[in-house]
């Protein structure tokens, strides 16, 4: 089941449920240029959030108009696995951990 039209959802990765939501859409800043979207992840009953930062879509870098963001369960699942392998410990306390991923969520 793909969540291509929603900005929130839940995925199950290795038997654990993770809630996600779109925290920031791609945006342009004067200082940094285009910044990609950010997805917030939180494991059920956990305390520490992970933020996945995606690169800005190439169409925006080329000056083309914005289009609908395509977020699907497979991309979120890859992002969860990438964050976990990079050291995210959802049950620990502290500030959200930020992870930069590629356009596929790896």
């Amino acid at each position: 089941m793909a969540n291509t039209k929603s900005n929130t959802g839940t995925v199950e990765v290795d038997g654990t449920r993770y809630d996600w939501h779109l925290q920031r859409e791609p945006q342009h800043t004067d200082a940094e240029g285009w910044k990609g979207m950010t997805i917030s992840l939180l494991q059920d009953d956990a305390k520490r959030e992970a933020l996945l930062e995606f690169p800005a879509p190439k169409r925006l870098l080329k000056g083309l108009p914005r289009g609908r963001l395509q977020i699907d369960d497979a991309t979120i699942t890859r992002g969860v696995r990438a964050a976990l392998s990079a050291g995210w410990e959802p049950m620990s306390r502290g500030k959200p951990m930020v992870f930069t991923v590629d356009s596929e969520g790896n």
Side-chain angles (χ1 to χ4, degrees), residues 2 9 12 22-23 37 49 53 55 67 70 72 76 85 89 98:
E12 188 168 321
L22 177 66
Q23 185 170 23
M37 71 177 170
E49 184 178 30
E53 291 187 346
Q70 298 298 316
D72 60 14
I76 300 299
S85 68
E89 296 177 4
V98 179

Side-chain angles (χ1 to χ4, degrees), residues 36-101:
M37 71 177 170
T38 301
I39 300 290
S40 170
L41 299 173
L42 187 62
Q43 179 180 321
D44 278 356
D45 300 324
K47 298 175 181 167
R48 194 169 204 183
E49 184 178 30
L51 301 175
L52 302 179
E53 291 187 346
F54 289 81
K58 291 180 182 178
R59 71 178 180 275
L60 296 177
L61 299 174
K62 294 178 181 178
L64 298 174
R66 292 182 191 214
R68 174 79 175 119
L69 295 174
Q70 298 298 316
I71 305 168
D72 60 14
D73 288 349
T75 302
I76 300 299
T77 299
R78 286 189 297 271
V80 169
R81 287 195 170 114
L84 290 170
S85 68
W88 177 40
E89 296 177 4
M91 299 309 280
S92 66
R93 294 178 10 175
K95 294 181 180 179
M97 295 183 72
V98 179
F99 301 96
T100 302
V101 295

